Amino acid sequence: MDITMLTNRLEEIDTYKRFGKVDRVVGLLIEARGPEVRIGEVCYIHTNLNNNKIMAEVIGFYEEKVLLMPYTSVQNIAAGCLVESTKKSLTINVGRSLIGKVIDSTGELLDKSNLPKGLKDYPTEQSPPNPLTRPRIKEIIPVGVKAIDTMLTVGRGQRIGIFAGSGVGKSTLMGMIARNSEADLNVIALIGERGREVKEFIEKELGSEGLKKSIVVVATSDQSALMRIKGAYTATAISEYFRDLGYEVNLMMDSVTRVAMAQREIGLAVGEPPTTKGYTPSVFALLPSLLERTGTSSNGTITAFYTVLVDGDDMNEPIADTTRGILDGHFILDRKLAEKGQFPAINVLQSVSRVMVNIVDEPSLQIVQQAKNILATYQDNEELIQIGAYKRGTNPVVDNAIQLQPKIMNFLKQGIDESTNREQAIQQLQNILNGSASS
């Protein structure tokens, strides 16, 4: 670097620190006079209590005032506290030595220990890739769950929504995928979870083997709305970092609904008008910008599984409907199946993998379609069968469905600790169908 370039670079450096002052605090919102900042910039609020500083983010402006929201609680913030600009958005430390760790939304280790060495700064907010630079999805990624690998095959770089009400087995299914999938790395975001469930998921659902190839990002329900949103952005940024290194990454986020609820809190705080079911317009802008960041790239892939907590089991509520329109497929977990002891409780007739026809060979597709036809036939005639109004011999197609449906449903069951091979599972399904034809 010559002396002219060095001089120009030094002239560009701003050596001043800019401060503002807290004017008032309203609910979750902090209003300050100054400093000169932009949307998304991180600021420090000096509380004058043991030189403590609270991180906050600029989320808007109103009548020449800066609107900030803290990453933690607003406790100890008083009128007149200094607001210091950092001139940059939130960045996290990321690298290979982070694998096997549990972190919070700002990238710090959850057990309060020091971060490992060798990490690099990485911004949490990125733009989605250019659509023309995304390779098509052409490869299958086995996830070790029979119902998915056979009936709803997932491709590398596909984005799937797991839709269910509370207590139907979303977290357990995610743990199975994390342990059994052939991906190089899992990035798991637990957003808005109960504090009790975090350790339970890590130790029980994920297990020590699953944690060895995972990075877990945690933002519990008691944390601020901003921390919950940043948890989703942090997990996505970590996935993008490893995708750019050539990794095949699984991103699992539980749940998108709680991210949307957090954004609704922020939107209402800054004065956005509530629309459908109280969700603000910024919620429906956030979802595509977040979900479109995953998928394929020229270097690697992010196969994403997003759980959607369906309010009152209504699959057409606003967040479920919007998310389903953005993603490349959806798995519906059925409470009725769960109550019958079917696990995973995936309703394969209501679920769809939109790229399956492009990545699965024709013989396997025919086997799957035949099995779905049998399940659909049984479902259409279930009431008649259950009350004894259907007489065997009336319709050979229905007779075949009565004989085969229990076998197929039993085939789709899987123990939590059980892992399966996709090719073997397809063969088992074919044997069930062939057995029915010959009998």
Side-chain angles (χ1 to χ4, degrees), residues 413-432:
K413 281 185 181 179
Q414 186 169 336
I416 294 172
D417 297 321
E418 182 185 348
S419 179
T420 61
N421 176 277
R422 181 179 177 274
E423 287 72 23
Q424 292 175 358
I426 289 284
Q427 187 60 52
Q428 288 173 13
L429 184 57
Q430 186 175 29
N431 292 342
I432 290 171

Side-chain angles (χ1 to χ4, degrees), residues 163-165 277 308-321 324:
F163 292 73
K277 283 206 172 181
V308 181
L309 185 62
V310 182
D311 188 18
D313 290 345
D314 177 12
M315 297 298 167
N316 295 314
E317 61 93 28
I319 300 305
D321 200 40
R324 190 165 53 239

Side-chain angles (χ1 to χ4, degrees), residues 376-388:
T377 301
Y378 185 88
Q379 182 176 288
D380 290 342
N381 295 275
E382 186 171 14
E383 286 187 14
L384 293 175
I385 296 166
Q386 294 296 334
I387 65 174

Side-chain angles (χ1 to χ4, degrees), residues 37-268:
V37 287
R38 51 190 168 76
I39 295 285
E41 191 168 314
V42 174
C43 295
Y44 288 115
I45 300 173
H46 297 256
T47 65
N48 300 324
L49 186 70
N50 300 324
N51 294 321
N52 189 30
K53 294 191 295 186
I54 292 176
M55 284 178 66
E57 185 171 305
V58 180
I59 60 170
F61 306 97
Y62 177 72
E63 294 183 350
E64 298 185 0
K65 291 182 182 178
V66 178
L67 304 180
L68 302 111
M69 186 165 283
Y71 286 96
T72 55
S73 69
V74 295
Q75 218 171 10
N76 301 324
I77 297 176
C81 286
L82 289 179
V83 180
E84 178 190 348
S85 169
T86 65
K87 301 180 189 174
K88 60 182 182 179
S89 301
L90 181 67
T91 60
I92 55 168
N93 295 304
V94 63
R96 290 183 176 91
S97 55
L98 207 60
I99 298 173
K101 306 294 185 184
V102 182
I103 63 174
D104 66 13
S105 300
T106 60
E108 297 296 324
L109 292 177
L110 207 62
D111 61 6
K112 303 300 181 184
S113 59
N114 294 325
L115 285 167
K117 294 182 179 179
L119 304 179
K120 63 174 287 186
D121 274 357
Y122 196 78
T124 59
E125 296 197 30
Q126 305 273 353
S127 298
N130 186 315
L132 296 181
T133 65
R134 290 180 183 266
R136 291 177 57 199
I137 299 170
K138 296 180 179 179
E139 291 183 37
I140 294 169
I141 178 166
V143 299
V145 179
K146 277 190 291 188
I148 297 173
D149 285 341
T150 56
M151 311 288 270
L152 301 161
T153 310
V154 176
R156 293 186 188 276
Q158 189 174 353
R159 299 163 305 147
I160 293 288
I162 302 175
F163 292 73
S166 57
V168 189
K170 299 185 302 299
S171 299
T172 305
L173 179 59
M174 278 180 53
M176 287 180 67
I177 294 171
R179 292 194 308 272
N180 301 330
S181 169
E182 293 187 5
D184 301 324
L185 172 69
N186 300 310
V187 179
I188 303 170
L190 303 178
I191 310 298
E193 288 285 340
R194 304 173 188 90
R196 172 188 63 81
E197 292 180 332
V198 173
K199 198 167 185 181
E200 187 176 294
F201 176 84
I202 293 169
E203 294 183 355
K204 183 183 174 185
E205 314 295 357
L206 189 58
S208 58
E209 288 302 312
L211 187 59
K212 283 181 184 176
K213 64 168 190 173
S214 302
I215 299 171
V216 183
V217 182
V218 175
T220 51
S221 58
D222 60 296
Q223 292 181 301
S224 69
L226 193 59
M227 283 289 272
R228 280 175 270 149
I229 291 173
K230 289 302 171 185
Y233 278 98
T234 294
T236 305
I238 292 170
S239 302
E240 290 168 323
Y241 172 82
F242 283 100
R243 176 180 63 184
D244 292 344
L245 292 181
Y247 280 64
E248 306 291 342
V249 182
N250 273 354
L251 170 62
M252 284 170 273
M253 190 177 295
D254 185 12
S255 71
V256 169
T257 308
R258 293 192 179 110
V259 176
M261 287 177 175
Q263 181 60 37
R264 176 173 63 182
E265 285 183 44
I266 293 175
L268 292 172

